Amino acid sequence: MACAALWAGPGFAPAAAANGKVDVVVGGNEVLNEATITRASEKAAALCGGKASAYVKKAQKADREGSIVVVCRRAGGKQVYFR
């Protein structure tokens, strides 16, 4: 019985929680809602500079963990992040 409880912890959430979609937010304003990893990476590249491929891993992390991942800070102190 104790082993069953260990396997039911939050570290063993179903893989379906990661759906390949993230939001892109700039300073609290959502600019893309439930965008694909590819589209979100392209938007981050447009907002922060660089290549879209540089942002794929951060978008995947936000999707996989369901957390906020800061991408960059724009002029005026506004953060760009995936969630």
Side-chain angles (χ1 to χ4, degrees):
M1 288 291 214
C3 288
L6 290 174
W7 285 99
F12 293 94
N19 63 1
K21 306 265 184 173
V22 295
D23 299 332
V24 179
V25 182
V26 178
N29 296 322
E30 190 174 80
V31 293
L32 285 178
N33 180 16
E34 291 292 312
T36 64
I37 298 292
T38 302
R39 179 69 185 111
S41 299
E42 290 169 352
K43 187 65 171 181
L47 292 167
C48 299
K51 296 182 179 181
S53 60
Y55 300 101
V56 170
K57 286 187 179 181
K58 288 185 176 189
Q60 289 171 335
K61 180 180 180 182
D63 177 44
R64 180 179 62 249
E65 296 179 3
S67 62
I68 290 174
V69 178
V70 176
V71 179
C72 70
R73 185 177 298 272
R74 292 180 52 103
K78 292 185 177 184
Q79 289 184 335
V80 177
Y81 57 90
F82 297 128
R83 67 173 179 203

